[in-house]
Amino acid sequence: MSPLRLAVLISGRGSNLLAIDDACRDGRLDARIVFVGSDRAAAGLEAARARGLPALQLDAKGFATRAGHEAALREAIDAAGADWVALAGYMRVLGEPFVAHYAGRMLNIHPSLLPRHKGLHTHRRVLEAGDRWHGASVHFVTSELDAGPVVLQGRVPVVAGDDEARLSARVQACEHIIYLRVLQWIASGRLVYRDGPWLDGQPLRAPIVEDFLDTEADAAR
Ligand code: GRF
């Protein structure tokens, strides 16, 4: 198979983007990032440019409609020849035509164990709910927010003394691993989408769940 051509959409720091790019560069992932897009000024965009990645800031403000903004974004992604889109902290909800255009070839990473805690402020909500476990989910994007089929989840423990910052750092460390793993499955042809995700020739009926216990949290347990 030829290397995957990836578009990555961000709005912030871009730590997932950089983890994916690291893996492309050192050969752990048979892929190339051909486009980085952000809807706002973002540290991740600057970091991408510093690495020589093609990076575009496309603010929605410059467009009269959401549809217009997304059509321009789609054109830029397709012009770069991307065959997959990875959302990595992209903070805008995408409309139906955009989602339909990339159906079965667009992934997102969400910082919770979906379907628990869809939407924003997941770390805070986990702490408020007193959950014992938290984590992240890599899922295919459908038009319903944070509701597309989940492929892989990484679980981390919530421990006494956690605050949002500690918890989010623990979740992010696991995000970088699970996003890469799913992309590796795609790049090697193990994961395909045919009316839903298939892994190793079998329909994936439930997410694969991996526990990440070897964090600093272990020591605190
Ligand atoms: C991640 O926590 C991701 O789960 C969420 O947004 C955050 C992006 O972080 N969707 P980064 O920009 O990749 O550092």
Side-chain angles (χ1 to χ4, degrees), residues 122-160:
T122 59
H123 310 305
R124 188 192 312 162
R125 286 156 59 204
V126 160
L127 290 169
E128 283 168 0
D131 294 355
R132 294 198 55 232
W133 291 92
H134 187 25
S137 305
V138 179
H139 65 94
F140 280 92
V141 177
T142 57
S143 50
E144 203 187 328
L145 183 69
D146 298 332
V150 178
V151 177
L152 178 61
Q153 293 184 316
R155 295 204 313 166
V156 301
V158 181
V159 299

mmCIF file of all heavy atoms in Angstrom, residues 122-160:
data_model
loop_
_atom_site.group_PDB
_atom_site.id
_atom_site.type_symbol
_atom_site.label_atom_id
_atom_site.label_comp_id
_atom_site.label_asym_id
_atom_site.label_seq_id
_atom_site.Cartn_x
_atom_site.Cartn_y
_atom_site.Cartn_z
ATOM 1 N N THR A 122 -14.788 17.717 29.441
ATOM 2 C CA THR A 122 -14.949 16.329 29.890
ATOM 3 C C THR A 122 -14.182 16.041 31.181
ATOM 4 O O THR A 122 -14.666 15.304 32.028
ATOM 5 C CB THR A 122 -14.491 15.349 28.794
ATOM 6 O OG1 THR A 122 -13.118 15.627 28.502
ATOM 7 C CG2 THR A 122 -15.345 15.485 27.543
ATOM 8 N N HIS A 123 -12.997 16.632 31.328
ATOM 9 C CA HIS A 123 -12.192 16.332 32.527
ATOM 10 C C HIS A 123 -12.919 16.832 33.777
ATOM 11 O O HIS A 123 -13.014 16.126 34.772
ATOM 12 C CB HIS A 123 -10.797 16.947 32.413
ATOM 13 C CG HIS A 123 -10.117 16.632 31.110
ATOM 14 N ND1 HIS A 123 -9.947 15.335 30.671
ATOM 15 C CD2 HIS A 123 -9.614 17.425 30.136
ATOM 16 C CE1 HIS A 123 -9.352 15.353 29.483
ATOM 17 N NE2 HIS A 123 -9.148 16.599 29.141
ATOM 18 N N ARG A 124 -13.449 18.046 33.678
ATOM 19 C CA ARG A 124 -14.185 18.612 34.808
ATOM 20 C C ARG A 124 -15.406 17.754 35.126
ATOM 21 O O ARG A 124 -15.697 17.456 36.283
ATOM 22 C CB ARG A 124 -14.632 20.030 34.447
ATOM 23 C CG ARG A 124 -15.244 20.785 35.623
ATOM 24 C CD ARG A 124 -15.924 22.057 35.167
ATOM 25 N NE ARG A 124 -15.047 22.831 34.275
ATOM 26 C CZ ARG A 124 -15.496 23.789 33.464
ATOM 27 N NH1 ARG A 124 -16.757 24.113 33.423
ATOM 28 N NH2 ARG A 124 -14.646 24.446 32.686
ATOM 29 N N ARG A 125 -16.096 17.324 34.086
ATOM 30 C CA ARG A 125 -17.331 16.553 34.315
ATOM 31 C C ARG A 125 -17.036 15.175 34.912
ATOM 32 O O ARG A 125 -17.805 14.668 35.725
ATOM 33 C CB ARG A 125 -18.126 16.457 33.007
ATOM 34 C CG ARG A 125 -18.788 17.804 32.689
ATOM 35 C CD ARG A 125 -19.082 17.987 31.222
ATOM 36 N NE ARG A 125 -19.961 16.964 30.709
ATOM 37 C CZ ARG A 125 -20.014 16.603 29.420
ATOM 38 N NH1 ARG A 125 -19.243 17.178 28.534
ATOM 39 N NH2 ARG A 125 -20.838 15.679 29.036
ATOM 40 N N VAL A 126 -15.919 14.605 34.520
ATOM 41 C CA VAL A 126 -15.515 13.319 35.107
ATOM 42 C C VAL A 126 -15.256 13.487 36.600
ATOM 43 O O VAL A 126 -15.698 12.678 37.427
ATOM 44 C CB VAL A 126 -14.256 12.781 34.385
ATOM 45 C CG1 VAL A 126 -13.527 11.750 35.216
ATOM 46 C CG2 VAL A 126 -14.645 12.193 33.040
ATOM 47 N N LEU A 127 -14.562 14.567 36.964
ATOM 48 C CA LEU A 127 -14.264 14.814 38.382
ATOM 49 C C LEU A 127 -15.555 15.087 39.157
ATOM 50 O O LEU A 127 -15.760 14.546 40.246
ATOM 51 C CB LEU A 127 -13.289 15.984 38.525
ATOM 52 C CG LEU A 127 -11.864 15.706 38.038
ATOM 53 C CD1 LEU A 127 -11.043 16.993 37.972
ATOM 54 C CD2 LEU A 127 -11.166 14.680 38.930
ATOM 55 N N GLU A 128 -16.429 15.882 38.566
ATOM 56 C CA GLU A 128 -17.693 16.209 39.253
ATOM 57 C C GLU A 128 -18.559 14.962 39.452
ATOM 58 O O GLU A 128 -19.238 14.821 40.458
ATOM 59 C CB GLU A 128 -18.476 17.257 38.457
ATOM 60 C CG GLU A 128 -17.900 18.661 38.630
ATOM 61 C CD GLU A 128 -18.461 19.680 37.629
ATOM 62 O OE1 GLU A 128 -19.306 19.295 36.794
ATOM 63 O OE2 GLU A 128 -18.032 20.836 37.703
ATOM 64 N N ALA A 129 -18.512 14.067 38.479
ATOM 65 C CA ALA A 129 -19.350 12.866 38.565
ATOM 66 C C ALA A 129 -18.736 11.819 39.490
ATOM 67 O O ALA A 129 -19.371 10.821 39.818
ATOM 68 C CB ALA A 129 -19.545 12.281 37.167
ATOM 69 N N GLY A 130 -17.481 12.011 39.872
ATOM 70 C CA GLY A 130 -16.816 11.032 40.722
ATOM 71 C C GLY A 130 -16.483 9.736 39.991
ATOM 72 O O GLY A 130 -16.376 8.664 40.610
ATOM 73 N N ASP A 131 -16.304 9.815 38.671
ATOM 74 C CA ASP A 131 -15.961 8.620 37.893
ATOM 75 C C ASP A 131 -14.620 8.055 38.358
ATOM 76 O O ASP A 131 -13.710 8.817 38.703
ATOM 77 C CB ASP A 131 -15.839 8.961 36.397
ATOM 78 C CG ASP A 131 -17.162 9.378 35.786
ATOM 79 O OD1 ASP A 131 -18.192 9.328 36.477
ATOM 80 O OD2 ASP A 131 -17.139 9.781 34.600
ATOM 81 N N ARG A 132 -14.487 6.746 38.341
ATOM 82 C CA ARG A 132 -13.205 6.133 38.712
ATOM 83 C C ARG A 132 -12.290 5.979 37.500
ATOM 84 O O ARG A 132 -11.084 5.825 37.629
ATOM 85 C CB ARG A 132 -13.447 4.760 39.361
ATOM 86 C CG ARG A 132 -14.166 4.870 40.706
ATOM 87 C CD ARG A 132 -14.008 3.603 41.522
ATOM 88 N NE ARG A 132 -12.605 3.264 41.697
ATOM 89 C CZ ARG A 132 -12.092 2.059 41.420
ATOM 90 N NH1 ARG A 132 -12.857 1.096 40.952
ATOM 91 N NH2 ARG A 132 -10.822 1.818 41.614
ATOM 92 N N TRP A 133 -12.918 5.997 36.305
ATOM 93 C CA TRP A 133 -12.134 5.847 35.073
ATOM 94 C C TRP A 133 -12.448 6.974 34.109
ATOM 95 O O TRP A 133 -13.577 7.447 34.053
ATOM 96 C CB TRP A 133 -12.447 4.510 34.394
ATOM 97 C CG TRP A 133 -11.956 3.339 35.160
ATOM 98 C CD1 TRP A 133 -12.645 2.617 36.089
ATOM 99 C CD2 TRP A 133 -10.646 2.753 35.080
ATOM 100 N NE1 TRP A 133 -11.859 1.621 36.589
ATOM 101 C CE2 TRP A 133 -10.624 1.672 35.992
ATOM 102 C CE3 TRP A 133 -9.498 3.029 34.329
ATOM 103 C CZ2 TRP A 133 -9.496 0.872 36.174
ATOM 104 C CZ3 TRP A 133 -8.374 2.231 34.505
ATOM 105 C CH2 TRP A 133 -8.385 1.172 35.425
ATOM 106 N N HIS A 134 -11.435 7.344 33.343
ATOM 107 C CA HIS A 134 -11.604 8.363 32.305
ATOM 108 C C HIS A 134 -10.781 7.865 31.124
ATOM 109 O O HIS A 134 -10.217 6.760 31.172
ATOM 110 C CB HIS A 134 -11.092 9.698 32.866
ATOM 111 C CG HIS A 134 -11.339 10.894 32.007
ATOM 112 N ND1 HIS A 134 -12.342 10.993 31.072
ATOM 113 C CD2 HIS A 134 -10.691 12.111 31.979
ATOM 114 C CE1 HIS A 134 -12.304 12.193 30.509
ATOM 115 N NE2 HIS A 134 -11.318 12.883 31.038
ATOM 116 N N GLY A 135 -10.691 8.661 30.074
ATOM 117 C CA GLY A 135 -9.891 8.208 28.960
ATOM 118 C C GLY A 135 -10.208 8.959 27.692
ATOM 119 O O GLY A 135 -10.708 10.082 27.733
ATOM 120 N N ALA A 136 -9.919 8.327 26.571
ATOM 121 C CA ALA A 136 -10.123 8.952 25.271
ATOM 122 C C ALA A 136 -10.628 7.913 24.285
ATOM 123 O O ALA A 136 -10.386 6.710 24.460
ATOM 124 C CB ALA A 136 -8.809 9.563 24.779
ATOM 125 N N SER A 137 -11.322 8.401 23.264
ATOM 126 C CA SER A 137 -11.916 7.517 22.254
ATOM 127 C C SER A 137 -11.539 8.003 20.859
ATOM 128 O O SER A 137 -11.676 9.193 20.567
ATOM 129 C CB SER A 137 -13.449 7.549 22.353
ATOM 130 O OG SER A 137 -13.891 7.242 23.658
ATOM 131 N N VAL A 138 -11.120 7.079 20.008
ATOM 132 C CA VAL A 138 -10.918 7.395 18.596
ATOM 133 C C VAL A 138 -12.113 6.825 17.842
ATOM 134 O O VAL A 138 -12.402 5.627 17.940
ATOM 135 C CB VAL A 138 -9.609 6.781 18.057
ATOM 136 C CG1 VAL A 138 -9.454 7.110 16.571
ATOM 137 C CG2 VAL A 138 -8.414 7.295 18.844
ATOM 138 N N HIS A 139 -12.814 7.709 17.131
ATOM 139 C CA HIS A 139 -14.039 7.246 16.466
ATOM 140 C C HIS A 139 -14.165 7.826 15.061
ATOM 141 O O HIS A 139 -13.587 8.884 14.750
ATOM 142 C CB HIS A 139 -15.272 7.621 17.308
ATOM 143 C CG HIS A 139 -15.517 9.091 17.446
ATOM 144 N ND1 HIS A 139 -16.356 9.797 16.614
ATOM 145 C CD2 HIS A 139 -15.022 10.012 18.310
ATOM 146 C CE1 HIS A 139 -16.374 11.064 16.977
ATOM 147 N NE2 HIS A 139 -15.568 11.234 17.995
ATOM 148 N N PHE A 140 -14.920 7.127 14.225
ATOM 149 C CA PHE A 140 -15.266 7.671 12.915
ATOM 150 C C PHE A 140 -16.270 8.803 13.117
ATOM 151 O O PHE A 140 -17.077 8.766 14.051
ATOM 152 C CB PHE A 140 -15.866 6.580 12.024
ATOM 153 C CG PHE A 140 -14.814 5.694 11.408
ATOM 154 C CD1 PHE A 140 -14.420 4.518 12.037
ATOM 155 C CD2 PHE A 140 -14.203 6.043 10.216
ATOM 156 C CE1 PHE A 140 -13.438 3.709 11.488
ATOM 157 C CE2 PHE A 140 -13.218 5.237 9.656
ATOM 158 C CZ PHE A 140 -12.839 4.072 10.291
ATOM 159 N N VAL A 141 -16.187 9.791 12.254
ATOM 160 C CA VAL A 141 -17.064 10.958 12.391
ATOM 161 C C VAL A 141 -18.329 10.754 11.567
ATOM 162 O O VAL A 141 -18.261 10.420 10.381
ATOM 163 C CB VAL A 141 -16.341 12.242 11.937
ATOM 164 C CG1 VAL A 141 -17.273 13.445 12.005
ATOM 165 C CG2 VAL A 141 -15.106 12.478 12.801
ATOM 166 N N THR A 142 -19.454 10.936 12.247
ATOM 167 C CA THR A 142 -20.744 10.959 11.562
ATOM 168 C C THR A 142 -21.388 12.302 11.883
ATOM 169 O O THR A 142 -20.830 13.083 12.662
ATOM 170 C CB THR A 142 -21.649 9.805 12.048
ATOM 171 O OG1 THR A 142 -21.802 9.925 13.465
ATOM 172 C CG2 THR A 142 -21.056 8.450 11.706
ATOM 173 N N SER A 143 -22.570 12.551 11.321
ATOM 174 C CA SER A 143 -23.116 13.907 11.502
ATOM 175 C C SER A 143 -23.600 14.157 12.922
ATOM 176 O O SER A 143 -23.796 15.301 13.306
ATOM 177 C CB SER A 143 -24.213 14.193 10.484
ATOM 178 O OG SER A 143 -25.113 13.147 10.485
ATOM 179 N N GLU A 144 -23.770 13.118 13.713
ATOM 180 C CA GLU A 144 -24.163 13.340 15.116
ATOM 181 C C GLU A 144 -22.908 13.529 15.969
ATOM 182 O O GLU A 144 -21.999 12.688 15.935
ATOM 183 C CB GLU A 144 -24.970 12.126 15.599
ATOM 184 C CG GLU A 144 -25.872 12.452 16.777
ATOM 185 C CD GLU A 144 -26.518 11.192 17.334
ATOM 186 O OE1 GLU A 144 -26.771 10.258 16.538
ATOM 187 O OE2 GLU A 144 -26.718 11.124 18.544
ATOM 188 N N LEU A 145 -22.883 14.594 16.754
ATOM 189 C CA LEU A 145 -21.666 14.979 17.483
ATOM 190 C C LEU A 145 -21.175 13.869 18.432
ATOM 191 O O LEU A 145 -21.942 13.397 19.277
ATOM 192 C CB LEU A 145 -21.940 16.264 18.282
ATOM 193 C CG LEU A 145 -20.744 16.826 19.046
ATOM 194 C CD1 LEU A 145 -19.697 17.360 18.094
ATOM 195 C CD2 LEU A 145 -21.186 17.905 20.020
ATOM 196 N N ASP A 146 -19.907 13.509 18.283
ATOM 197 C CA ASP A 146 -19.250 12.535 19.170
ATOM 198 C C ASP A 146 -19.981 11.199 19.240
ATOM 199 O O ASP A 146 -19.944 10.508 20.268
ATOM 200 C CB ASP A 146 -19.092 13.108 20.594
ATOM 201 C CG ASP A 146 -18.209 14.347 20.628
ATOM 202 O OD1 ASP A 146 -17.334 14.469 19.753
ATOM 203 O OD2 ASP A 146 -18.406 15.193 21.520
ATOM 204 N N ALA A 147 -20.677 10.851 18.150
ATOM 205 C CA ALA A 147 -21.508 9.643 18.211
ATOM 206 C C ALA A 147 -21.147 8.601 17.150
ATOM 207 O O ALA A 147 -21.787 7.558 17.082
ATOM 208 C CB ALA A 147 -22.977 10.022 18.084
ATOM 209 N N GLY A 148 -20.145 8.848 16.324
ATOM 210 C CA GLY A 148 -19.771 7.865 15.304
ATOM 211 C C GLY A 148 -19.144 6.639 15.946
ATOM 212 O O GLY A 148 -18.749 6.673 17.119
ATOM 213 N N PRO A 149 -19.059 5.533 15.192
ATOM 214 C CA PRO A 149 -18.543 4.292 15.754
ATOM 215 C C PRO A 149 -17.129 4.436 16.334
ATOM 216 O O PRO A 149 -16.217 4.915 15.656
ATOM 217 C CB PRO A 149 -18.537 3.312 14.584
ATOM 218 C CG PRO A 149 -19.130 4.016 13.434
ATOM 219 C CD PRO A 149 -19.456 5.425 13.798
ATOM 220 N N VAL A 150 -16.985 4.004 17.578
ATOM 221 C CA VAL A 150 -15.693 4.091 18.253
ATOM 222 C C VAL A 150 -14.859 2.865 17.892
ATOM 223 O O VAL A 150 -15.343 1.734 17.932
ATOM 224 C CB VAL A 150 -15.876 4.162 19.789
ATOM 225 C CG1 VAL A 150 -14.523 4.198 20.485
ATOM 226 C CG2 VAL A 150 -16.694 5.398 20.178
ATOM 227 N N VAL A 151 -13.605 3.104 17.572
ATOM 228 C CA VAL A 151 -12.697 2.009 17.219
ATOM 229 C C VAL A 151 -11.885 1.584 18.439
ATOM 230 O O VAL A 151 -11.826 0.394 18.782
ATOM 231 C CB VAL A 151 -11.742 2.437 16.078
ATOM 232 C CG1 VAL A 151 -10.751 1.332 15.764
ATOM 233 C CG2 VAL A 151 -12.542 2.829 14.848
ATOM 234 N N LEU A 152 -11.267 2.549 19.087
ATOM 235 C CA LEU A 152 -10.337 2.232 20.177
ATOM 236 C C LEU A 152 -10.488 3.250 21.302
ATOM 237 O O LEU A 152 -10.586 4.455 21.041
ATOM 238 C CB LEU A 152 -8.900 2.261 19.632
ATOM 239 C CG LEU A 152 -7.755 1.999 20.609
ATOM 240 C CD1 LEU A 152 -7.853 0.597 21.233
ATOM 241 C CD2 LEU A 152 -6.402 2.136 19.888
ATOM 242 N N GLN A 153 -10.517 2.732 22.525
ATOM 243 C CA GLN A 153 -10.539 3.608 23.695
ATOM 244 C C GLN A 153 -9.349 3.298 24.574
ATOM 245 O O GLN A 153 -8.991 2.132 24.761
ATOM 246 C CB GLN A 153 -11.818 3.374 24.517
ATOM 247 C CG GLN A 153 -13.065 3.812 23.775
ATOM 248 C CD GLN A 153 -14.330 3.695 24.587
ATOM 249 O OE1 GLN A 153 -14.534 2.681 25.254
ATOM 250 N NE2 GLN A 153 -15.186 4.700 24.519
ATOM 251 N N GLY A 154 -8.768 4.351 25.128
ATOM 252 C CA GLY A 154 -7.724 4.180 26.132
ATOM 253 C C GLY A 154 -8.308 4.615 27.470
ATOM 254 O O GLY A 154 -8.862 5.714 27.558
ATOM 255 N N ARG A 155 -8.202 3.750 28.473
ATOM 256 C CA ARG A 155 -8.757 4.099 29.798
ATOM 257 C C ARG A 155 -7.621 4.445 30.745
ATOM 258 O O ARG A 155 -6.590 3.772 30.783
ATOM 259 C CB ARG A 155 -9.496 2.893 30.411
ATOM 260 C CG ARG A 155 -10.715 2.459 29.675
ATOM 261 C CD ARG A 155 -11.680 1.713 30.575
ATOM 262 N NE ARG A 155 -11.053 0.685 31.416
ATOM 263 C CZ ARG A 155 -11.652 0.115 32.449
ATOM 264 N NH1 ARG A 155 -12.888 0.464 32.786
ATOM 265 N NH2 ARG A 155 -11.034 -0.820 33.150
ATOM 266 N N VAL A 156 -7.842 5.502 31.518
ATOM 267 C CA VAL A 156 -6.883 5.842 32.575
ATOM 268 C C VAL A 156 -7.642 5.958 33.891
ATOM 269 O O VAL A 156 -8.812 6.334 33.904
ATOM 270 C CB VAL A 156 -6.133 7.171 32.283
ATOM 271 C CG1 VAL A 156 -5.377 7.117 30.970
ATOM 272 C CG2 VAL A 156 -7.077 8.357 32.287
ATOM 273 N N PRO A 157 -6.997 5.639 35.010
ATOM 274 C CA PRO A 157 -7.671 5.771 36.298
ATOM 275 C C PRO A 157 -7.763 7.232 36.730
ATOM 276 O O PRO A 157 -6.908 8.045 36.385
ATOM 277 C CB PRO A 157 -6.772 4.984 37.252
ATOM 278 C CG PRO A 157 -5.426 4.989 36.609
ATOM 279 C CD PRO A 157 -5.631 5.095 35.127
ATOM 280 N N VAL A 158 -8.828 7.524 37.460
ATOM 281 C CA VAL A 158 -8.935 8.821 38.139
ATOM 282 C C VAL A 158 -8.471 8.565 39.565
ATOM 283 O O VAL A 158 -8.929 7.610 40.197
ATOM 284 C CB VAL A 158 -10.393 9.332 38.151
ATOM 285 C CG1 VAL A 158 -10.483 10.698 38.829
ATOM 286 C CG2 VAL A 158 -10.949 9.394 36.732
ATOM 287 N N VAL A 159 -7.554 9.383 40.072
ATOM 288 C CA VAL A 159 -7.001 9.102 41.400
ATOM 289 C C VAL A 159 -7.219 10.280 42.344
ATOM 290 O O VAL A 159 -7.457 11.412 41.913
ATOM 291 C CB VAL A 159 -5.491 8.748 41.326
ATOM 292 C CG1 VAL A 159 -5.277 7.505 40.496
ATOM 293 C CG2 VAL A 159 -4.694 9.900 40.793
ATOM 294 N N ALA A 160 -7.131 9.958 43.627
ATOM 295 C CA ALA A 160 -7.325 10.988 44.655
ATOM 296 C C ALA A 160 -6.367 12.150 44.395
ATOM 297 O O ALA A 160 -5.200 11.929 44.050
ATOM 298 C CB ALA A 160 -7.059 10.389 46.030
#
